[in-house]
Amino acid sequence: MTDEERARRDAALRELDDLTAAYEAAEKVLDERRDALHSAIVKHLMERNARPGEVEKHTPYDRNHIRRIAQAAGVPPLRERTVRSAKAS
């Protein structure tokens, strides 16, 4: 490998290292902001400040994803089930 080829390879690897570091930093910020958003969603659903449909309009998530976030955090449903299984009768 010539000195010129070695220099180009080293420059390419440095560029990749720099871009990878920037990507990982951005990913860390994204993860922190996502966690903060999920915490706020759970907080407001627990405190009954906003219904899931309202939360949907103000977040990037649909109702189903909001429900999954709420269930994972142990948020109780707004109302109890009214339909009972026919097998339980």
Side-chain angles (χ1 to χ4, degrees):
M1 181 177 283
T2 66
D3 288 341
E4 183 180 322
E5 291 171 336
R6 192 172 294 113
R8 279 193 316 221
R9 182 200 63 197
D10 291 346
L13 294 177
R14 273 193 308 276
E15 179 184 14
L16 291 172
D17 289 341
D18 291 344
L19 291 171
T20 298
Y23 176 86
E24 289 172 350
E27 196 172 48
K28 182 180 178 204
V29 170
L30 175 64
D31 289 342
E32 290 169 355
R33 299 225 171 119
R34 182 186 310 115
D35 291 344
L37 178 59
H38 287 197
S39 295
I41 289 170
V42 169
K43 174 183 136 188
H44 294 302
L45 291 174
M46 279 282 208
E47 293 174 356
R48 307 291 192 220
N49 295 331
R51 298 177 72 82
E54 295 168 322
V55 172
E56 174 187 20
K57 293 175 186 174
H58 296 273
T59 64
Y61 304 128
D62 65 10
R63 283 182 78 137
N64 293 323
H65 192 67
I66 292 166
R67 181 181 48 81
R68 286 190 294 271
I69 292 169
Q71 285 178 337
V75 175
L78 289 173
R79 58 186 171 91
E80 294 300 317
R81 294 180 134 189
T82 57
V83 177
R84 303 285 179 229
S85 170
K87 294 178 184 178
S89 299

